[in-house]
Amino acid sequence: MRMRTIEISVGAFVLAGMLAAVFLVVQVSGINVSQSEQTYKLSARFDDVAGLRIRSKVSMAGVTIGRVTDIAVDTEFGEAIVTLEIDGAPGGLTADTGAKILTEGMLGARYIGLIPGADEEMLADGDEIIETQGAIVLENLIGQFLSNMGK
Amino acid sequence: MESEYLIEIEDLCLTRGEKVVFDGLTMRVPRGGITAVMGPSGTGKTTLLRVIGGQVRPDRGSVRLNGADVCRMSRAELFRARRDIGMLFQSSALFTDMDVFENVAFPMRVHTDLPEDTIRDLVIMKLNAVGLRGARDLMPSQLSGGMARRVALARAIALDPDLIMYDEPFTGQDPIAMGVILELIKQLNDALGASSLLVSHDIHETVEIADYVFVLADGKVIGEGAPKELQQHQNRRISQFMRGDPDGPVPFHYPADDLQYDLLSEAG
Amino acid sequence: MERMLRQVGADTLSWLQGLGRATVMWIRAAYRVPKPSDWMLVIRQVYSIGVLSMAIIVLSAFAIGSVIALQFYTQLARFGAEDAVGVGLALVLLRELGPVVTALLFAGRAGSAITAEIGLMKTTEQLSIMEMMGVDPLRRIVAPRLWGGIISMPLLTLMFNTVAIYGGVVVAVHWLGADSGGFWSGMQNAVELWDDLGKGMIKSVVFAVVVTWIAVYQGYDCEPTAEGMGLATTRTVVMSSVLILAFDFFLTLLMYGDFR
Ligand SMILES: Nc1ncnc2c1ncn2[C@@H]1O[C@H](COP(=O)(O)OP(=O)(O)OP(=O)(O)O)[C@@H](O)[C@H]1O
Ligand SMILES: [Mg+2]
C-alpha cells in the first residue's frame, strides 16, 4: 500500500536526521569527555584582562588543562579577579605557578597560559596564583611607543 | 419532548458585506418529509443551509435544530450535532487528495470505528446507489462535473444522517442520472425516515418529490405550501416562480442602476 | 498627515488582529496531544514536508559547504592556517548558516506548498464541507501540518550541517589537500556541543515554529480566490524570510551576545 511507502520513507528520514545528529555530536564537536571528570578551582588577580571571556582556555605548554569560569572586578585595587577551573585532582601545579594572559595568533582569542614553577608545595582547591601578567593591550603599547618617540 | 418540526427558524436577520441577505425570515421545516426551498438566484438559499449547519452566525434570530439553538452551541456541540447532518454543497467540494472511494469512506472513518471490510461494503453500496461503483479508484480531477456531484451525494449520505441538505443536486445531471437521484432522495426519505431539505431550481423535479415548498425572496419567505397549491397561488410572484415564467413581478436582474444610465455613464 | 497617521493606526490594528487570529488558530489546532490515529496524518505530513524537501536541502548544503571551504582555504592558506578551515566551516554552519539557510529553503519549498494546499482546500470549499461533516479542519488539516513542519525542520537542519561539512571535507581535504587530521582535530577542539550545536538547533526549532505557523495561517486565512491564494503564497515566503532573518539576529544577540 502507498501508506507503507510513506511510512518507510519517513522512518528513513528520521533515521537520517538522527545519524546526522550523532555525526555532529561525535565527529564535529568531539564531545569533551574530560568535562565530566573531577576539577578544582583556582583564582588569579590580573591588572588587565581585556578580551578574556568566560569559557576561555587555560593551558600549560600549549595543552588545554582548564577554562575560565568567572571574571569579577575588585574596584578597590582596580584589578580583575579571574576564577579558573583546572581538570584533574589538585596537586599537579606548584604553588609558585605563574599565569599570563596570551593571545592565539596575532589577533586571535585570549587565553590564560600557566607557567610551571619550582616550589615544593602544590596549589590546592581555592588557592590563588600570585605571579600574574595581564593582557598586553595593543593600544597601550602603541601609546607607549608614541610617547617614547616624542621624548 | 420532540417537536413536530425538525428545524424552526425564527426572525432570522443576516447582513453579509453590504447586502441584507435575511430580513426577518421565519420558517418551520417538518420532520420526515422532503422540504424544498426555492427562490431567485442570490436570495440566500445556500446561505440559509449554512446558517442551519451553524457555519454562518446570524445577526439576530434563532435557529433550532431538534429543539437546540444552533447559534448558542459551543464549537464542540456544533461538531457533535453535525454528525447527524449530511450536506451536499453546490460545488461538489470533493477532497482532492483522496480518490472516490476514500472520499465516500471519509465520514465513516472519522466518525465510526467500523472494521475495514464493513467500510468497504458500505462505500461500494453507496457508490452503487449513485451509479459510480466502477469509478471508485478515480481521483476527483478525473471526474466530470456531474459525476463529481454524485460522488459528493454518496459522501453526504454515507452515515445515513437524520437530516440531509441538498444544494441543487440536479444541476449538471443528464436525464437518467436525474431520475436516479430523484429516486434516491425519495428512497432515503422513505426507507430511513430521514428528513430532506432541498434547494433546487428544477421546478418539475421539485414539484414531483417535495412534500412542502418555501419560496424565498427579499430575505423573507414569501410563500409556503404544497407544490401544487403554490403553482395556483393568487400571488403572481409565487406562481410566476413556480411555473418559471420569465416575466412577472420577480425581478430577473440583481438590483442595479437603470441600464441606459449604466451604458451612458460608462466613460466616467 | 492626519490621514497618514490614521492609516498607520489602521494597519497596526489589522496586523494585531491577524496576529490574534493566528494565535487562536494555533491554540485551537495544537492544544490537544495528537491521538494515535492523528499520528498517521502527522507522518503523512512529515513525508510531504520533510522527506520531499530533502533533495534541495542536501544539494544546497553540499554546494554551500564546499564553497565556504574553498573561500576559507584560499584565504587561510596565505597565513599557513589551513588547519583552521575545519573550525571556521563548522562554526559558521552550526551557529548561523545551517539553521538559517535550511529555514529559508524550507520556507520556499515546503512553506509555500503548505499555504497553496490549504488555500486550495479553502477555495474549493473542502474545509467548509469538512466542518459541515463535524470534522474540525483545524485538527484534521492544520494541526498535522504544524507538527509535521516542527518535526521536519530540525531534522533537515541536522542533515544540512552534516552534508555541508562533508562538502567542505571533499573540497578542503580531498581536493585541495589540507591535512585531514588538522581539519578534524581543529574542529573538535573548537566546537562546543551546547554552545555551537545546541544553540544552533534552538534557532532551528524557533524557525520551524515561525515558518510553519506563517505558512499554515496564510493558507487558512487566505481569500478564497485564485488571486488570494497567489498573494497568500507570496506572503508566506516573504514574511517567513524576513522573520527568519530578524529572529536570527535577536537569537544570536540573546544566546551569543556578551554584554559585559
Ligand atoms: N461571503 C460573502 N460576502 C458577502 N456577500 C455574500 C457572501 N456570501 C454570499 N453573499 C451574498 O449573499 C447573497 C446570497 O447568496 P447565496 O449563495 O446564499 O445565494 P443562493 O440563493 O444560493 O443563489 P444561487 O441560487 O445562485 O445559488 C448573494 O447576494 C451574495 O452576493
Ligand atoms: Mg446557492
Side-chain angles (χ1 to χ4, degrees), chain B residues 46 90 167-168:
Chain B
T46 300
Q90 202 163 351
D167 199 348
E168 305 189 10

Side-chain angles (χ1 to χ4, degrees), chain A residues 52-56 58 67-71 82-84 112:
Chain A
L52 195 71
R53 299 260 180 271
I54 287 175
R55 305 181 64 81
S56 289
V58 176
R67 60 210 64 78
V68 172
T69 55
D70 188 42
I71 301 175
V82 176
T83 310
L84 317 178
I112 294 182

Side-chain angles (χ1 to χ4, degrees), chain B residues 15-22 39-49 90 167-168 199 201 216 254:
Chain B
T15 309
R16 302 206 88 181
E18 301 282 280
K19 185 169 161 83
V20 179
V21 183
F22 299 121
S41 187
T43 35
K45 304 181 295 298
T46 300
T47 311
L48 181 65
L49 297 192
Q90 202 163 351
D167 199 348
E168 305 189 10
V199 168
H201 291 306
L216 303 191
Y254 192 89

Side-chain angles (χ1 to χ4, degrees), chain C residues 216-227:
Chain C
V216 167
Y217 175 70
Q218 287 296 343
Y220 190 73
D221 199 56
C222 85
E223 187 148 327
T225 57
E227 198 191 6

Side-chain angles (χ1 to χ4, degrees), chain B residues 146-198:
Chain B
M147 286 161 81
R149 314 240 51 213
R150 276 144 70 195
V151 174
L153 181 59
R155 185 180 60 180
I157 60 175
L159 289 178
D160 298 327
D162 301 335
L163 167 66
I164 314 175
M165 301 198 272
Y166 306 91
D167 199 348
E168 305 189 10
F170 306 120
T171 34
Q173 300 301 330
D174 60 64
I176 302 169
M178 201 122 130
V180 171
I181 293 176
L182 260 179
E183 237 0 86
L184 190 67
I185 295 177
K186 247 194 270 183
Q187 227 176 5
L188 281 169
N189 219 73
D190 299 344
L192 297 170
S195 316
S196 306
L197 192 59
L198 173 75

Side-chain angles (χ1 to χ4, degrees), chain A residues 3 6-7 9-10 13-14 16-18 20-21 23-31 35 53-55 71, chain C residues 40 43-44 46-47 50-51 54 90 155-156 158-159 161-162 165 184 187-188 191-193 195 197 258 260:
Chain A
M3 196 58 207
I6 290 178
E7 280 169 25
S9 40
V10 169
F13 175 73
V14 174
M18 293 201 300
F23 169 81
L24 292 173
V25 169
V26 175
Q27 182 73 4
V28 175
S29 80
I31 6 174
Q35 253 173 10
R53 299 260 180 271
I54 287 175
R55 305 181 64 81
I71 301 175
Chain C
M40 292 312 285
I43 287 177
R44 202 176 264 275
V46 173
Y47 176 79
V51 176
M54 247 174 101
L155 290 172
L156 288 170
L158 288 168
M159 293 177 208
N161 287 336
T162 303
I165 287 174
W184 288 115
M187 196 187 279
Q188 288 167 359
V191 173
E192 295 280 344
L193 185 59
D195 230 20
L197 184 58
D258 192 340
R260 281 163 186 267

